[in-house]
Amino acid sequence: MSTPIARVALDTPLNRLFDYLAADATPADIGRRVEVPFGTRHRIGVLVELADQSEQPAGNLKAVRAIDRATPPLPDELLHLARLAAGYYQHPLGAVLASLLPPALRRSGAGIRVPAATAWRLTELGRDQCARLPARAQAQLALADRFGAGALTRDQLDPRDLVRVRDWLRQGWLEAVTTTRASHGDEAGPPALTGEQQAVLAELREPPPGFSAFLLHGVTGSGKTEVYLRRVADVLEQGRQALVLVPEIHLTPQLTERFARRFPDRLLIGLHSNLADGERRAAWLDALEGRADIVLGTRLAVFTPLPRLGLIVVDEEHDGAYKQMEGMRYSARDVAVWRARERGVPILLGSATPSLESWRNAGTGRYRLLRLNERAHADASLPEIRLIDSRADRPRQGLTATLLAGLRARLERGEQSLIFINRRGYAPTLLCNGCGHVFACPRCSAHLVLHRERGGYRLVCHHCGLTARPPEACPECGNLDLRPAGQGTQRVEETLAEHFPDARVLRIDRDTAARKGAFAAMRERVEAREVDILVGTQIVAKGHDFPHLTLVGVIGADQALVSPDFRATERLFAQLMQVAGRAGRAEHAGEVLIQTAYPGHPLYQALRRHDYPGFAEAALRERQGAGFPPFTSQALLRAEAREEDRALGFLTAAREAGLGLDRNVLLFDPVAALMARVAHQHRLQLLIQADHRRNLREFLRDWRPLLETLPARGVRWSLDVDPTDY
Ligand code: ADP
Ligand code: ZN
């Protein structure tokens, strides 16, 4: 008998497997991590096949150095899913497998480390001691209070809290839980379902076991999450695992808390990229070894090994964050649907504004459509949406008189308001009042954004990070009259402070929420009514409950109506629906005021009626007329180079090679990307479009190997299947 050959997937740009001698390998080792010599180093790969012989001459083969038999192998199902993804996205299998392993298991030679905890809870001793804290230990008492309500995750704690956590751990007041178990459940028990929720659940429970796909379209606050909880309860009851995907890390703490309270005896793990390596590894192993009952995570969690998987839920399924923008550019929502089909389990996609792709799938019967049209709380109704014509009511410093009056009324009543503006910084540009010169980034095709920093100003490029001090005079004409043009969150914050000097204004954008724990801390301040007016970008729009918020003002939304990106209006509609949904979540009626120069625009009119279906039907008709997705399938070959000619040369050759295959796909001319230059790199792209997905897939399968043979010196290229940005 000859020595078995291990075929190993390695994380390289080459789309092939590598053969090694593996004397002691057996079929039970398929899916295990192996360490192999590669070039002058050692690498971690995954053993995906065993063979009797290799195409390589036997003398050239090296031996596998080690097989990791301490970790369970990747299950067949996951290997299969990785193959599907590799084929669909035209990405090397080794790279796909590497990206689905937690980083700690990807590195060669990384010893097994004790996992840091994901969360902590009070011990008996801790409860005792906390009860005895003196009244002056305010900060400690506040923390004790929070722990009293259940386990807290690292995300929920700010750095000062974490120092205290360390002390308390040493004193035995806290114990680590790598998983979240609420210390107590919902005292009141789950709410009685509304009629609509009952009807939806009955339909969800109707199909026989096996794959079924549902699209749950429910207005904000209609109780979609309650529906997820009930379905998860069903599968837990059957002894199976549930996978729940959310678009944003920021959304995980609130939802984790809700799930943990509902299922206090179950093991719930959170998976997202903010976890420390050890935590991520521990959580992943809990899932793989079948201990975890519920996995709640962001897009990367779609690849979590789950031997007892019984249900997949994708919350806010329309959200752009489900699309990975580098490496393998996959859509976690789409992968989730394939996974459900392959595993023969139901999948539930939920949203107040489904993606047009999913809406169409519901229209053609591929998904079953379920609706929740009313808010779940008996006395909560949908907010009234009003359009302020900014041509008549001229904004000053970005704010119209109507909006200011609305804010004043809320302040007088002690209610909260939110100003939504999707631009961070002070002003989108700095402008010379003499000659109209605009300050552009020298490295990118973008304007520099004016930011306020410690009393002064800085110009910042949002694409390459370049920062510069604003000059005293215009470099073109020498004029000293340089003015900020337009509004950003910082400027709105400043203007509000001028109008309402006594109001407590809080700005939430990427600049203020970047620090770990900062977002949770800000949310708590809002909940504790320590804030009167919130100014925020889209990060506040998503799924957070602010019960005392009764007014949402939207400024600067018109921008998206003139965007060259055909998906911009779909995004805008979803964003505005979502931000509108922040108003009046509980007993208080909400109002939404949108400042626009185009109050008659069909998008705003549909929004005013809360008419997602109306918007979606019109948008789909437009897409169909223009031959855009979801009526066609697209892929984008991107190329980036310091010299534009090189990128263009590569794409031109790629197009030639593609035409030579003579397939039923359309190859457009190479053009500049919407962001044509970033950090001195020119970005060009070639769009491929097909009427049928299968034609595109077959074309890409044959085209991709040709791309690897083209001269590409100085060019970085990548393929993006189903692109969402152009
Ligand atoms: P969605 O996920 O659709 O935005 P949620 O599930 O978060 O909605 O529900 C919105 C609010 O209504 C929450 O405060 C939730 O606790 C409450 N809620 C949900 N279902 C019910 C119900 N059947 N009875 C009473 N309140 C409910
Ligand atoms: Zn730049």
Side-chain angles (χ1 to χ4, degrees):
M1 252 225 24
S2 58
T3 312
I5 308 289
R7 313 205 66 204
V8 176
L10 289 172
D11 186 7
T12 72
L14 300 174
N15 201 4
R16 46 165 286 216
L17 300 177
F18 297 85
D19 290 357
Y20 291 90
L21 298 168
D24 66 339
T26 70
D29 292 323
I30 290 179
R32 288 198 196 280
R33 299 187 317 135
V34 293
E35 188 172 342
V36 296
F38 189 83
T40 56
R41 298 187 304 138
H42 289 100
R43 284 196 178 212
I44 295 288
V46 177
L47 196 166
V48 293
E49 288 170 19
L50 281 178
D52 294 334
Q53 29 187 302
S54 170
E55 285 164 17
Q56 308 284 320
N60 284 2
L61 291 182
K62 294 184 180 153
V64 166
R65 257 188 101 196
I67 299 180
D68 172 11
R69 294 197 173 96
T71 312
L74 290 175
D76 278 352
E77 175 240 351
L78 214 57
L79 290 176
H80 182 68
L81 187 68
R83 281 205 179 86
L84 273 181
Y88 186 85
Y89 293 111
Q90 288 299 317
H91 203 70
L93 180 62
V96 178
L97 286 169
S99 70
L100 65 84
L101 288 173
L105 292 176
R106 242 177 259 168
R107 281 189 297 270
S108 148
I112 292 173
R113 295 189 304 134
V114 180
T118 307
W120 299 274
R121 64 174 161 231
L122 287 174
T123 57
E124 283 292 305
L125 174 69
R127 276 184 193 285
D128 257 26
Q129 296 294 326
C130 282
R132 287 179 209 178
L133 285 169
R136 68 190 139 72
Q138 280 180 12
Q140 297 210 48
L141 278 169
L143 188 62
D145 232 32
R146 294 174 61 203
F147 272 115
L152 292 176
T153 64
R154 197 179 278 271
D155 290 351
Q156 293 167 296
L157 297 163
D158 69 25
R160 263 171 315 177
D161 290 337
L162 282 170
V163 173
R164 248 164 241 133
V165 162
R166 228 162 285 146
D167 290 345
W168 288 8
L169 274 167
R170 251 198 316 274
Q171 295 162 9
W173 296 15
L174 287 176
E175 63 186 350
V177 259
T178 50
T179 47
T180 311
R181 281 183 205 261
S183 54
H184 58 89
D186 285 325
E187 275 98 23
L193 295 173
T194 65
E196 282 191 331
Q197 284 171 328
Q198 282 176 19
V200 159
L201 273 162
E203 270 205 64
L204 282 165
R205 288 170 179 152
E206 192 176 276
F211 171 71
S212 49
F214 291 92
L215 177 62
L216 174 58
H217 172 228
V219 299
T220 49
S222 60
K224 295 185 290 296
T225 312
E226 185 59 39
V227 171
Y228 308 154
L229 286 162
R230 299 296 176 112
R231 281 303 279 157
V232 167
D234 288 348
V235 304
L236 295 181
E237 202 57 27
Q238 298 159 8
R240 305 180 72 177
Q241 296 169 303
L243 173 63
V244 180
L245 299 180
V246 291
E248 291 270 341
I249 285 178
H250 291 139
L251 296 178
T252 52
Q254 250 184 351
L255 203 63
T256 304
E257 181 62 23
R258 237 169 124 179
F259 273 79
R261 278 177 186 271
R262 182 63 60 89
F263 306 109
D265 313 321
R266 301 292 189 158
L267 223 47
L268 167 62
I269 65 173
L271 261 186
H272 52 72
S273 56
N274 254 8
L275 295 179
D277 282 2
E279 297 171 327
R280 183 127 152 230
R281 178 179 179 282
W284 194 81
L285 289 174
D286 276 337
L288 172 61
E289 290 164 0
R291 286 184 295 274
D293 295 304
I294 305 167
V295 171
L296 199 152
T298 52
R299 64 170 179 262
L300 58 90
V302 73
F303 291 109
T304 313
L306 290 158
R308 297 183 283 116
L309 182 64
L311 170 73
I312 304 180
V313 173
V314 183
D315 189 24
E316 311 289 4
E317 66 89 30
H318 66 279
D319 200 294
Y322 282 121
K323 171 96 177 171
Q324 163 103 357
M325 293 295 192
E326 58 202 32
M328 179 170 70
R329 294 168 172 248
Y330 65 95
S331 151
R333 177 202 56 222
D334 294 348
V335 173
V337 175
W338 308 338
R339 187 168 187 190
R341 183 178 301 118
E342 296 295 316
R343 280 295 288 270
V345 301
I347 183 163
L348 174 54
L349 309 171
S351 175
T353 51
S355 63
L356 292 177
E357 280 78 7
S358 297
W359 190 251
R360 176 153 184 265
N361 281 334
T364 61
R366 291 179 50 160
Y367 298 165
R368 273 171 76 170
L369 181 63
L370 307 170
R371 303 280 287 270
L372 292 172
N373 297 312
E374 306 275 324
R375 285 196 155 177
H377 261 293
D379 32 3
S381 50
L382 286 171
E384 187 189 346
I385 298 178
R386 286 172 49 205
L387 302 166
I388 308 175
D389 187 340
S390 60
R391 293 164 308 183
D393 183 356
R394 289 291 213 188
R396 293 189 25 217
Q397 303 273 50
L399 302 171
T400 56
T402 314
L403 185 51
L404 286 170
L407 289 168
R408 181 163 321 234
R410 291 334 184 272
L411 286 169
E412 280 162 8
R413 293 207 294 265
E415 297 169 1
Q416 292 175 324
S417 310
L418 161 68
I419 301 292
F420 175 71
I421 170 169
N422 222 351
R423 280 177 175 272
R424 65 193 170 91
Y426 188 79
T429 48
L430 183 64
L431 192 76
C432 168
N433 217 27
C435 70
H437 174 78
V438 189
F439 289 81
C441 176
R443 298 146 43 100
C444 307
S445 45
H447 292 159
L448 291 171
V449 178
L450 194 65
H451 280 250
R452 180 147 218 178
E453 259 174 42
R454 286 179 233 100
Y457 290 96
R458 281 196 93 69
L459 288 165
V460 180
C461 175
H462 282 189
H463 300 277
C464 72
L466 175 128
T467 69
R469 197 143 23 120
E472 297 286 318
C474 173
E476 290 290 326
C477 71
N479 197 314
L480 295 177
D481 188 9
L482 303 179
R483 296 199 176 164
Q487 313 294 323
T489 46
Q490 288 181 318
R491 195 173 189 184
V492 172
E493 187 185 14
E494 187 183 279
T495 308
L496 288 170
E498 283 162 17
H499 282 285
F500 309 112
D502 297 330
R504 296 161 299 175
V505 179
L506 176 69
R507 170 165 60 92
I508 304 188
D509 57 23
R510 193 136 43 95
D511 299 316
T512 62
R515 205 166 42 80
K516 216 171 177 176
F519 190 84
M522 291 195 285
R523 211 188 59 218
E524 272 168 30
R525 282 183 56 196
V526 179
E527 268 161 30
R529 309 183 82 154
E530 290 167 19
V531 174
D532 300 309
I533 307 178
L534 270 162
V535 177
T537 55
Q538 53 169 342
I539 63 173
V540 284
K542 293 186 181 178
H544 301 284
D545 273 342
F546 296 122
H548 309 293
L549 190 74
T550 59
L551 173 68
V552 173
V554 176
I555 62 184
D558 286 346
Q559 289 281 334
L561 297 179
V562 294
S563 165
D565 181 347
F566 72 86
R567 287 184 217 269
T569 46
E570 180 183 357
R571 262 181 232 128
L572 177 64
F573 189 86
Q575 240 170 35
L576 293 184
M577 267 305 227
Q578 215 154 29
V579 73
R582 298 310 113 216
R585 294 278 286 186
E587 308 63 49
H588 309 284
E591 186 180 30
V592 180
L593 299 176
I594 300 175
Q595 292 185 180
T596 171
Y598 315 101
H601 194 285
L603 183 146
Y604 290 132
Q605 288 299 323
L607 195 75
R608 211 171 48 76
R609 298 189 308 264
H610 297 274
D611 182 12
Y612 168 79
F615 167 79
E617 295 310 328
L620 280 173
R621 271 195 304 277
E622 256 174 51
R623 296 267 183 100
Q624 187 161 28
F628 284 144
F631 297 92
T632 53
S633 292
Q634 296 184 332
L636 210 54
L637 177 63
R638 303 172 193 274
E640 208 178 282
R642 227 181 142 86
E643 294 89 25
E644 194 173 359
D645 285 355
R646 293 202 177 194
L648 184 61
F650 173 79
L651 291 181
T652 308
R655 183 165 184 273
E656 288 298 312
L659 291 172
L661 290 172
D662 193 22
R663 294 298 165 74
N664 220 346
V665 298
L666 201 56
L667 288 136
F668 287 82
D669 284 324
V671 292
L674 284 184
M675 269 301 298
R677 196 163 51 98
V678 174
H680 292 308
Q681 297 284 318
H682 291 271
R683 299 173 156 194
L684 282 80
Q685 60 196 25
L686 167 61
L687 180 67
I688 307 108
Q689 190 167 297
D691 288 341
H692 298 287
R693 176 149 302 217
R694 190 149 63 86
N695 292 345
L696 183 67
R697 208 156 46 203
E698 285 170 6
F699 169 77
L700 293 176
R701 191 192 56 209
D702 296 343
W703 190 43
R704 153 113 208 184
L706 301 180
L707 298 179
E708 282 174 14
T709 66
L710 296 177
R713 224 162 63 84
V715 179
R716 277 183 37 195
W717 61 269
S718 61
L719 255 181
D720 187 352
V721 180
D722 303 331
T724 54
D725 63 321
Y726 295 85

